[in-house]
Amino acid sequence: MKLWQKFCLWPLLFSVFIFLGTGILLIEKNAKEVFQINLTQLAEEQKSVSDGLNWYVYISSLRDSKRGLGKLNQYIKEYMENRSGTQGVCYQLAEYAQDGVLPVYSNLDSELPMMAMQDVTYAPQYTVLEYGEKSYLRLTGKFSFQNYVYRNTVFMDITAFVQERSRQYRYFFNLFLLSVIILSAGMYAISGYLTKPLRLLTDSIRKMGGGNYTAHVVVRGKDEISELAMRYNEMARIIEEKIAALEKTAEEQRRFIDNFSHELRTPLTAVIGYADLLRTSEDDGAACKELGERIFKQGKRIEKLSETMLQLVFLKRHSFALVPCDLREVLAEAEAVLTPSILQAQMKLVLEMPDEPVVVPGEKDLLLNLIGNLADNARKASAAGDAVRISVRKEEACVIMEIEDQGKGIPEEEQSRVFETFYMVDKTRSRKNNGVGLGLSICADIVKIHHAKLELTSRAGEGTRIKIIFPCYKHETFPV
């Protein structure tokens, strides 16, 4: 059974049970009260007959003196015939005689069943009789006069009461049937409306199981089901992002393997070719020396590729403890390392630093590696006479370091990929400078380790500027 059917069926059954039980209880309570009134009225009427007979027999006996002896049944009959009875009430009085029951008085229209004499007690007993199409309430008791015992039976016609009770039941069950129909239609509509978000949620989950992670549920209202739909949308969004990230990672790994294989195959092919020439050459002079030099250069290229790959893996798998570092001291040390290669390329290295300390959470060797890679890239992209500028400034909530060159720049369509592993914008220049396309990828990993942000701005023919935004060092929020 589906949830919307349960929402429809169980409240409906509960409402029907309550409505049915309440209606029957009310009808029976009302009927019981009316019946009790009739029974009380009939008991008072029976008591009135007994009391009246006592009084009438006593007065009549005094009046007739001795002549009244043996006239008890006649007195009873006279009293009952002269007494004004209650409408709808009939009487039957009988004497207990040695030869059976002797009727004394009766105004019954028909022969209604009587209680056996041996079952009659002085305490009145009642029962309801069905006789033909009529219903009667019978009250039977006994009383005694002058050692004579009589049975006093009083009947009340309660046909109207029984018919009214039946009419109330018919009216109630018609109303009950109409209410059930209306409630069923209402509960069907309400349960369908309330569980619609769940059906949409189920459809979305089914689509997600089929590989569609973009199917979301429209959220309306602020109830628990709407909150569930909202949480599902958040989960679907996160899963979609995770799947996209996994696909991107898988693509990067595939591209990494392809590029690594290509980068490794090129120098290995050259080494094998040069070694084969050297092996088959009969010249022991300058030609052999040149071949050996080429083999050495290609071997050094493979060595550099291996070292860079190890460095990249080390950055991804190792965790670093960040400590307070003054970027002015790091730049001063980097300047000493970079100046020879900058001067050899006939360029200028310009450093711009404030007078006060600029402290960031960092790892000194990684920061030197970061600055060295970025400055080296700037040098390779520039021409003789250009300047490589490195600046550091402190702002309210961060520290900004910029490395800017005046080189060829990076085309806009390639700027989003420059930090990918093995990606090279100018492959000819990179090969000339023994580049393998891993430097900027290493820089991106170092920036992540320092909880910093990396921004690139470049225009073709105008140069490139790389901005690194470090968080400021704070004692209470120092990231590790």
Side-chain angles (χ1 to χ4, degrees):
M1 183 180 292
K2 294 185 176 180
L3 183 61
W4 72 268
Q5 294 173 332
K6 294 180 180 179
F7 275 158
C8 178
L9 181 60
W10 293 116
L12 178 62
L13 291 177
F14 181 76
S15 301
V16 166
F17 176 77
I18 294 298
F19 185 73
L20 182 62
T22 303
I24 292 175
L25 287 176
L26 288 175
I27 293 175
E28 289 300 320
K29 181 177 180 298
N30 180 65
K32 185 176 180 180
E33 291 176 352
V34 175
F35 181 81
Q36 191 63 40
I37 292 172
N38 291 333
L39 183 60
T40 302
Q41 181 182 355
L42 196 61
E44 291 176 352
E45 183 68 17
Q46 187 185 53
K47 187 175 182 300
S48 175
V49 169
S50 299
D51 294 342
L53 282 173
N54 279 324
W55 175 83
Y56 186 78
V57 169
Y58 175 73
I59 296 299
S60 299
S61 297
L62 292 178
R63 183 192 60 202
D64 294 342
S65 186
K66 295 182 179 180
R67 292 178 297 173
L69 295 176
K71 294 183 177 181
L72 185 57
N73 290 347
Q74 183 180 347
Y75 293 152
I76 293 174
K77 187 174 182 181
E78 288 176 0
Y79 173 77
M80 294 302 298
E81 289 177 349
N82 294 323
R83 181 180 182 276
S84 56
T86 303
Q87 184 177 2
V89 178
C90 299
Y91 312 91
Q92 201 272 352
L93 288 91
E95 178 188 356
Y96 285 84
Q98 293 182 353
D99 53 351
V101 179
L102 179 62
V104 178
Y105 174 80
S106 176
N107 63 347
L108 298 176
D109 296 333
S110 56
E111 291 295 331
L112 296 174
M114 299 295 173
M115 182 180 288
M117 295 297 288
Q118 63 271 19
D119 297 331
V120 180
T121 62
Y122 284 99
Q125 302 174 69
Y126 75 88
T127 185
V128 177
L129 302 174
E130 299 289 338
Y131 190 80
E133 296 181 356
K134 291 189 175 183
S135 299
Y136 294 91
L137 175 60
R138 185 186 69 188
L139 188 65
T140 304
K142 66 181 180 180
F143 63 93
S144 59
F145 290 123
Q146 302 172 3
N147 297 324
Y148 292 96
V149 180
Y150 291 87
R151 182 184 64 193
N152 184 3
T153 304
V154 187
F155 291 87
M156 175 181 284
D157 188 350
I158 57 171
T159 304
F161 161 74
V162 174
Q163 291 176 348
E164 176 62 20
R165 180 169 173 268
S166 300
R167 188 193 66 81
Q168 289 180 1
Y169 266 109
R170 287 195 301 272
Y171 177 79
F172 168 72
F173 282 116
N174 289 335
L175 180 63
F176 171 74
L177 181 60
L178 180 62
S179 300
V180 168
I181 294 173
I182 295 175
L183 277 174
S184 300
M187 291 303 300
Y188 178 84
I190 292 173
S191 62
Y193 174 77
L194 291 178
T195 57
K196 182 179 179 181
L198 292 178
R199 293 197 301 274
L200 296 176
L201 190 60
T202 303
D203 292 340
S204 298
I205 293 174
R206 190 180 296 111
K207 292 178 182 178
M208 182 180 290
N212 182 7
Y213 301 100
T214 61
H216 291 181
V217 181
V218 179
V219 179
R220 293 188 179 92
K222 297 181 179 180
D223 55 11
E224 289 80 358
I225 296 180
S226 300
E227 184 177 357
L228 176 63
M230 183 174 63
R231 298 298 180 213
Y232 167 79
N233 288 340
E234 292 178 2
M235 181 190 71
R237 177 182 56 79
I238 293 173
I239 292 176
E240 183 180 358
E241 293 175 357
K242 295 294 184 182
I243 293 296
L246 289 174
E247 291 176 349
K248 182 180 178 181
T249 301
E251 176 63 23
E252 289 177 353
Q253 290 177 347
R254 184 192 62 78
R255 192 163 56 242
F256 176 86
I257 293 172
D258 292 344
N259 292 333
F260 180 72
S261 300
H262 175 74
E263 292 294 331
L264 192 61
R265 184 170 60 249
T266 301
L268 281 177
T269 302
V271 167
I272 292 171
Y274 294 147
D276 185 57
L277 287 174
L278 185 62
R279 180 176 61 85
T280 57
S281 176
E282 298 179 356
D283 190 356
D284 296 332
C288 290
K289 185 177 181 180
E290 182 181 356
L291 289 174
E293 182 68 23
R294 292 181 180 180
I295 291 174
F296 176 77
K297 288 183 178 180
Q298 295 299 326
K300 293 296 290 184
R301 183 180 175 189
I302 294 174
E303 181 184 30
K304 181 179 180 182
L305 176 62
S306 300
E307 291 177 353
T308 309
M309 287 293 298
L310 288 174
Q311 185 179 10
L312 191 62
V313 172
F314 178 76
L315 290 175
K316 290 182 179 296
R317 295 186 178 181
H318 191 71
S319 58
F320 297 87
L322 305 184
V323 298
C325 294
D326 187 352
L327 284 183
R328 297 186 310 160
E329 297 178 0
V330 177
L331 284 177
E333 190 172 336
E335 181 183 14
V337 176
L338 294 173
T339 298
S341 61
I342 294 290
L343 293 178
Q344 186 179 1
Q346 300 178 1
M347 300 178 190
K348 293 186 294 182
L349 179 63
V350 180
L351 299 181
E352 299 176 1
M353 297 180 290
D355 296 331
E356 67 276 3
V358 184
V359 181
V360 298
E363 207 283 330
K364 185 177 179 181
D365 291 336
L366 293 183
L367 291 175
L368 286 172
N369 194 341
L370 173 66
I371 296 171
N373 275 329
L374 293 177
D376 192 54
N377 275 0
R379 176 185 63 80
K380 293 175 181 178
S382 302
D386 291 342
V388 176
R389 185 177 65 86
I390 304 176
S391 65
V392 173
R393 67 179 185 274
K394 186 176 182 179
E395 296 190 354
E396 183 178 356
C398 61
V399 173
I400 297 178
M401 181 171 67
E402 292 182 343
I403 299 176
E404 186 175 359
D405 63 58
Q406 299 172 332
K408 297 180 180 180
I410 302 173
E412 185 175 355
E413 64 274 7
E414 299 191 46
Q415 291 180 14
S416 61
R417 300 187 59 190
V418 294
F419 297 103
E420 295 180 4
T421 307
F422 288 115
Y423 188 78
M424 293 178 285
V425 178
D426 190 345
K427 294 179 175 56
T428 303
R429 177 170 56 83
S430 297
R431 299 279 186 238
K432 183 179 178 181
N433 293 312
N434 294 322
V436 294
L438 293 174
L440 288 179
S441 179
I442 292 174
C443 291
D445 287 340
I446 294 174
V447 168
K448 289 180 181 178
I449 292 171
H450 286 80
H451 310 287
K453 295 180 181 179
L454 191 64
E455 296 180 0
L456 182 144
T457 305
S458 181
R459 289 185 180 180
E462 297 183 8
T464 301
R465 180 175 63 200
I466 293 180
K467 179 190 293 186
I468 305 169
I469 305 172
F470 293 94
C472 288
Y473 169 70
K474 295 180 181 179
H475 290 280
E476 66 276 8
T477 58
F478 184 65
V480 177

